[in-house]
C-alpha cells in the first residue's frame, strides 16, 4: 500500500491489534508526521503511539499523505535506519547500480579460472625474459612484443577453460558447483558465445601481430584444448588419463616454453633461434610440473569423474597413491633443479636457484605430510598450493644462468 489514511473513529483505539494486522497486510507502513500546524485527534494519537515505536523494527520507508483538519500535508519519510529523508522522495541506493556489474564480473572471473590465467601470464613473462641478454633489451619493442603475446595467449586460455566447462556442466554440478555454468548463472548459450568470441579474438590478435611462433602456439593450444574437452567421436581426450596428461604437458611444458621464447627471440629481437641452457632447464622442469598438475587436478574431482566415466588416474589408482606420486615427482624435480643451480658459473644464480628450490621443496614436504586426504576441501586447497609453487618456479627460471 502506498499510504495509510487515518480517520477519527468513535471506537477506542486498539494499537497492538492494529499493528499486527498492518504487518500481516504489508511489510511497510508509513511513518506520518505533520509538517504544518499541530493536529489533534485519534489519528495523530495512533500515529505517535503505535507507528513510532515500531518503525525501527518492522518497516521500510514510503511516501505518504496525512489528512488533518481537512488539509493534506506531505509526510516526512523515514528510512529503516531511522534517518529522515527528503519529503516526497524515495530513498536511492547507489550500490544498486554497481551490484549487477560486480556480480557479472565475479561470474566471469570464476568462469576464466583465474589460477590458470595467472599461470599463463607468469609463464609467458618468465620465458620471454630468457631471451633478454642485457638491460638494453628491455625496451619498448620488447614490452610491445610481450604484451601482444600475453593478450593473445590469455584470450586462448579463456577459450580452453571455458570450453571445458561447456562440456562438463553435469560433472561440474558435482565437482565444482560454484562455476557459472554449473550454478546456472550462465546459460549454455552464454558459455558458447564467450568461448567462441575469445577464440576469434585470440586468433585475430595472433594474425594481426604476424609472428609465426605466436600463431602456431595459439593454433596448437586451440587444437589440443578442443580435443581435450569436446564431446565428439574420437575426441574428448580427457577421458583417457595418459592422453589427457600429455595434452596438458604439451601446452604447459613445451609450447609455452619454446614458442613464446622464439616469439621474442626471432620475431621481436630478430635474432637466430638459440636453445640455451636456461631454456632447456625450463622445458624439462615444467614437464615434471605439468604432469603433476595433470595428475593432481583430478584428485578432488574423483566423485564426479567416477559417476560420468572419466577414467582419470585418481579413479583408477586411488587418491592417496596419486597424491604421493605427485609429491615425489615434484621433489625429484626440485632436487634436479638444485643440482643444475649448483653447477652454474654465476655465483648469484647459484645461490638463488639452490636456496630457492631447497626452500620450496621443504615447504612442499612439510605441507604434504600434514594433509588430510579424507577432506575434499583440504585436497582442493593443496591443489591451489601446487599452483602457487608453479608461480614461484616461474619467478626462479629467469635467474637460472
Amino acid at each position: 500500500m502506498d499510504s495509510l489514511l487515518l480517520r477519527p473513529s468513535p471506537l477506542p483505539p486498539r494499537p497492538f491489534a492494529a499493528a499486527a494486522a498492518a504487518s500481516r497486510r504489508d511489510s511497510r507502513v508509513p511513518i506520518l508526521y505533520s509538517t504544518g500546524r499541530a493536529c489533534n485527534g485519534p489519528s495523530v494519537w495512533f500515529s505517535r503511539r503505535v507507528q513510532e515505536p515500531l518503525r525501527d523494527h518492522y518497516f521500510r520507508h514510503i511516501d505518504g499523505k496525512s489528512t488533518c483538519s481537512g488539509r493534506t500535508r506531505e509526510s516526512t519519510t523515514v528510512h529503516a535506519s531511522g534517518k529522515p529523508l527528503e519529503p516526497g522522495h524515495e530513498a536511492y541506493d547507489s550500490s544498486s547500480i554497481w551490484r549487477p556489474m560486480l556480480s557479472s564480473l565475479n561470474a566471469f572471473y570464476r568462469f576464466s579460472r583465474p589460477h590458470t590465467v595467472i599461470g599463463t601470464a607468469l609463464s609467458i613473462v618468465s620465458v620471454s625474459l630468457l631471451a633478454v641478454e642485457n638491460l638494453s633489451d628491455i625496451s619498448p619493442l620488447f614490452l610491445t612484443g610481450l604484451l601482444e603475446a600475453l593478450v593473445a595467449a590469455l584470450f586462448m586460455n579463456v577459450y580452453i577453460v571455458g570450453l571445458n566447462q561447456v562440456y562438463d556442466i553435469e560433472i561440474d554440478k558435482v565437482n565444482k558447483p560454484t562455476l557459472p555454468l554449473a550454478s546456472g548463472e550462465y546459460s549454455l548459450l552464454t558459455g558458447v558465445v564467450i568461448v567462441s568470441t575469445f577464440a576469434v579474438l585470440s586468433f585475430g590478435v595472433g594474425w594481426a601481430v604476424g609472428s609465426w611462433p605466436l600463431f602456431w602456439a595459439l593454433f596448437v593450444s586451440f587444437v589440443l584444448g578442443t580435443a581435450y574437452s569436446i564431446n565428439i567421436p574420437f575426441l574428448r581426450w580427457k577421458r583417457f588419463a595418459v592422453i589427457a596428461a600429455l595434452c596438458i604437458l604439451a601446452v604447459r611444458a613445451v609450447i609455452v616454453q619454446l614458442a613464446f621464447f622464439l616469439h621474442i627471440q626471432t620475431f621481436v629481437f630478430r635474432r637466430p633461434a638459440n636453445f640455451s641452457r636456461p631454456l632447456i632447464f625450463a622445458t624439462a622442469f615444467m614437464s615434471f610440473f605439468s604432469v603433476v598438475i595433470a595428475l593432481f587436478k583430478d584428485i578432488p574431482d574423483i566423485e564426479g569423474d567416477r559417476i560420468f566415466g572419466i577414467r582419470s588416474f585418481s579413479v583408477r589408482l586411488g587418491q592417496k597413491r596419486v597424491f604421493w606420486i605427485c609429491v615425489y615427482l615434484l621433489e625429484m624435480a626440485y632436487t634436479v633443479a638444485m643440482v643444475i643451480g649448483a653447477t652454474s658459473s654465476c655465483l648469484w644464480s647459484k645461490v638463488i636457484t639452490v636456496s630457492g628450490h631447497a626452500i620450496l621443496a621443504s615447504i612442499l614436504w612439510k605441507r604434504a605430510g600434514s594433509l588430510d586426504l579424507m577432506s575434499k576441501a583440504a585436497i582442493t586447497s593443496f591443489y591451489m598450493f601446487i599452483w602457487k609453487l608453479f608461480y614461484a618456479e616461474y619467478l626462479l627460471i629467469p635467474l637460472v644462468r
Side-chain angles (χ1 to χ4, degrees), residues 13 32 50 53 67 108 118 139 162 194 196 216 278 288 292 367:
L32 304 179
V50 179
T67 301
F108 181 76
I118 296 171
S139 60
I194 291 175
S196 302
W216 280 107
F288 273 88
V292 169
R367 181 153 181 175

Side-chain angles (χ1 to χ4, degrees), residues 101-151:
M101 185 182 299
L102 292 176
S103 178
S104 299
L105 289 174
N106 178 265
F108 181 76
Y109 175 81
R110 286 178 283 116
F111 182 80
S112 66
R113 309 295 283 154
H115 62 279
T116 66
V117 170
I118 296 171
T120 298
L122 278 176
S123 62
I124 292 173
V125 172
S126 181
V127 299
S128 296
L129 288 173
L130 292 179
V132 173
E133 297 178 357
N134 48 65
L135 288 179
S136 63
D137 285 340
I138 303 179
S139 60
L141 179 66
F142 168 77
L143 295 176
T144 301
L146 175 60
L147 181 61
E148 291 168 344
L150 276 173
V151 171

Side-chain angles (χ1 to χ4, degrees), residues 57-265:
H57 302 283
Y58 300 100
F59 309 118
R60 295 178 301 197
H61 76 279
I62 57 172
D63 288 338
K65 304 289 183 179
S66 174
T67 301
C68 183
S69 301
R71 297 181 63 184
T72 301
R73 299 173 178 89
E74 287 188 351
S75 67
T76 300
T77 312
V78 180
H79 193 272
S81 63
K83 297 180 180 180
L85 302 175
E86 291 296 328
H89 295 280
E90 293 184 356
Y92 178 73
D93 185 4
S94 61
S95 66
S96 63
I97 294 179
W98 298 103
R99 195 174 295 116
M101 185 182 299
L102 292 176
S103 178
S104 299
L105 289 174
N106 178 265
F108 181 76
Y109 175 81
R110 286 178 283 116
F111 182 80
S112 66
R113 309 295 283 154
H115 62 279
T116 66
V117 170
I118 296 171
T120 298
L122 278 176
S123 62
I124 292 173
V125 172
S126 181
V127 299
S128 296
L129 288 173
L130 292 179
V132 173
E133 297 178 357
N134 48 65
L135 288 179
S136 63
D137 285 340
I138 303 179
S139 60
L141 179 66
F142 168 77
L143 295 176
T144 301
L146 175 60
L147 181 61
E148 291 168 344
L150 276 173
V151 171
L154 293 180
F155 284 164
M156 185 56 66
N157 191 99
V158 173
Y159 164 77
I160 292 172
V161 297
L163 184 71
N164 188 57
Q165 293 173 66
V166 167
Y167 282 94
D168 276 7
I169 294 177
E170 296 303 320
I171 299 177
D172 287 340
K173 286 179 180 179
V174 179
N175 292 336
K176 304 179 183 76
T178 60
L179 292 179
L181 284 169
S183 66
E185 291 175 81
Y186 281 175
S187 66
L188 178 60
L189 178 61
T190 300
V192 171
V193 169
I194 291 175
V195 298
S196 302
T197 301
F198 275 84
V200 172
L201 288 174
S202 179
F203 281 120
V205 172
W207 185 262
V209 171
S211 168
W212 281 109
L214 175 59
F215 186 84
W216 280 107
L218 299 174
F219 179 76
V220 175
S221 299
F222 173 85
V223 171
L224 293 179
T226 303
Y228 180 87
S229 299
I230 194 168
N231 192 10
I232 61 176
F234 305 110
L235 295 181
R236 195 160 173 80
W237 291 350
K238 68 180 296 179
R239 295 175 297 169
F240 313 107
V242 174
I243 300 178
L246 289 175
C247 286
I248 295 174
L249 185 149
V251 174
R252 290 284 176 190
V254 179
I255 294 174
V256 168
Q257 317 307 318
L258 300 182
F260 289 98
F261 172 82
L262 291 175
H263 166 68
I264 299 296
Q265 180 77 359

Side-chain angles (χ1 to χ4, degrees), residues 253-322:
V254 179
I255 294 174
V256 168
Q257 317 307 318
L258 300 182
F260 289 98
F261 172 82
L262 291 175
H263 166 68
I264 299 296
Q265 180 77 359
T266 63
F267 178 77
V268 176
F269 290 152
R270 303 296 179 181
R271 296 169 181 163
N274 176 26
F275 296 98
S276 61
R277 180 172 178 265
L279 179 63
I280 295 172
F281 165 77
T283 304
F285 189 94
M286 284 305 167
S287 295
F288 273 88
F289 224 124
S290 298
V291 170
V292 169
I293 289 176
L295 294 177
F296 205 102
K297 74 178 189 63
D298 295 324
I299 296 178
D301 295 342
I302 189 171
E303 183 181 354
D305 289 350
R306 184 183 289 119
I307 293 172
F308 291 93
I310 304 298
R311 299 288 294 166
S312 66
F313 279 111
S314 297
V315 172
R316 296 165 64 181
L317 302 178
Q319 289 175 302
K320 184 176 181 180
R321 184 177 297 179
V322 173

